[in-house]
Amino acid sequence: MGEEYFVEKEKMEENLEQVSKIHFVLIHGISGGGWCWYKIKSLMEISGYKVTCLDLKGAGIHPHDPTTIISFDDYNQPLINFLSSLPLNEQVILVGHSAGGLSVTDATHKFPKKVRMAVYIGATMLRNGFVTEQDVKDGIPDLSDFGEAIDVYDMSFGLGVEQPPTSAVIKTSLQRKIIYQMSPIEDSTLAAMLLRPGPIQALASARFKEGEGAEEVPRIYIKTAYDRVVKPEQQDAMIKKWPPKNVYTLESDHSPFFSAPLLLFGLLIKVASSIGCNTD
């Protein structure tokens, strides 16, 4: 074999080594779980990347009852515990979908040295959480186009029926129309079987103290052009208010991990390759 072959082989081995050092941590939105990312996780692992798909408290297969979760810190504890357990010199790329953006921002403020990049996919991206009325308008889904709240959500009242609901999930009959209108029917069917009530009171209480160094963490926003949950105008408002390093757009519904997995995977790899990730 010629020298050219061995040079190319060495380059490929170096590339694979670099890829294996990049660690993606994928954070689901309200009612979801780590299972939402099954297509992206498969594509990443086949390509040699390290991937962690967390279940936040009361989500996915986490055993806690979401109806009893009242504070955002409680809800986000699995992510905080995970980052706390990482070696001091290890960095990850945090990727948050929908309300998972709140989790990403919280973690970035608390562990800026462990977050190499923060990626928001059709997600709530608010620098300090829900502080103002405008934050609420920009960051909380408005599904009034589909009816009154009682017609859109199945709600639970963990503090009693005289108090506001503590958890909610979009009614099964509306899930495909609202969340998955461009996704394969197999995926929306799977989601209907696995979605759990999300702790809406805990999410609405999200407030963040700015961590030193958090602003140095590069942020990427991936817009979801046909999103009926976090609408494009809401995404634009959050991007304008807290501009990220780069903005990309996917021609997808609210759930591009189902409706445009290859395009989403390609974008995530693109942004990752632009920065690398420290693990030494």
Side-chain angles (χ1 to χ4, degrees):
M1 296 182 185
E3 182 180 346
E4 188 174 312
Y5 167 81
F6 290 102
V7 170
E8 288 301 315
K9 184 173 183 290
E10 185 175 346
K11 285 182 179 179
M12 287 180 63
E13 290 174 349
E14 288 177 356
N15 288 337
L16 286 172
E17 183 179 357
Q18 289 301 313
V19 163
S20 68
K21 290 181 178 180
I22 297 178
H23 186 178
F24 288 92
V25 179
L26 310 181
I27 309 300
H28 61 82
I30 188 171
S31 295
W35 59 268
C36 295
W37 302 100
Y38 79 94
K39 290 183 177 181
I40 304 301
K41 179 178 171 68
S42 298
L43 290 167
M44 286 182 168
E45 289 184 338
I46 289 170
S47 302
Y49 296 93
K50 184 176 181 180
V51 189
T52 299
C53 301
L54 291 177
D55 287 325
L56 298 179
K57 193 167 185 178
I61 61 171
H62 192 285
H64 207 83
D65 179 1
T67 301
T68 66
I69 300 170
I70 306 302
S71 77
F72 181 80
D73 286 344
D74 192 22
Y75 174 64
N76 206 34
Q77 198 60 50
L79 175 57
I80 301 306
N81 289 345
F82 175 82
L83 292 173
S84 297
S85 71
L86 291 177
L88 290 176
N89 60 346
E90 183 172 348
Q91 292 184 307
V92 300
I93 297 176
L94 287 183
V95 181
H97 171 248
S98 196
L102 293 166
S103 296
V104 168
T105 303
D106 181 40
T108 301
H109 283 310
K110 291 176 177 174
F111 297 95
K113 292 183 179 180
K114 291 187 177 183
V115 181
R116 186 65 185 89
M117 175 175 280
V119 183
Y120 298 77
I121 304 171
T124 302
M125 185 179 69
L126 299 169
R127 184 173 184 171
N128 300 111
F130 296 114
V131 177
T132 69
E133 289 185 10
Q134 189 62 46
D135 293 332
V136 172
K137 182 179 179 180
D138 295 340
I140 290 183
D142 175 11
L143 303 184
S144 58
D145 290 347
F146 302 96
E148 299 293 330
I150 194 171
D151 299 318
V152 174
Y153 294 100
D154 288 323
M155 295 179 281
S156 298
F157 298 81
L159 299 177
V161 293
E162 71 283 355
Q163 299 295 325
T166 53
S167 68
V169 61
I170 293 174
K171 289 180 180 293
T172 304
S173 60
L174 291 174
Q175 287 170 7
R176 180 164 180 79
K177 185 176 183 180
I178 296 174
I179 316 172
Y180 310 114
Q181 80 272 15
M182 297 172 68
S183 300
I185 189 66
E186 296 89 346
D187 290 322
S188 60
T189 301
L190 175 69
M193 298 168 69
L194 296 177
L195 289 177
R196 296 176 65 183
I200 53 174
Q201 192 168 132
L203 286 164
S205 73
R207 310 277 193 284
F208 312 128
K209 292 182 179 179
E210 288 194 43
E212 184 177 350
E215 281 297 318
E216 297 174 12
V217 176
R219 285 175 294 108
I220 303 294
Y221 200 98
I222 299 176
K223 295 172 58 178
T224 40
Y226 301 102
D227 201 320
R228 295 175 177 174
V229 179
V230 183
K231 296 182 176 67
E233 57 266 30
Q234 291 178 291
Q235 297 178 39
D236 288 338
M238 290 185 285
I239 289 167
K240 183 177 180 180
K241 188 173 183 179
W242 194 27
K245 179 180 179 182
N246 292 109
V247 177
Y248 302 93
T249 301
L250 285 176
E251 302 291 312
S252 77
D253 55 19
H254 184 60
S255 305
F257 40 70
F258 291 158
S259 59
L262 290 174
L263 293 174
L264 176 57
F265 167 70
L267 271 182
L268 292 174
I269 300 312
K270 178 179 179 179
V271 300
S273 64
S274 70
I275 53 134
C277 207
N278 299 330
T279 58
D280 299 326

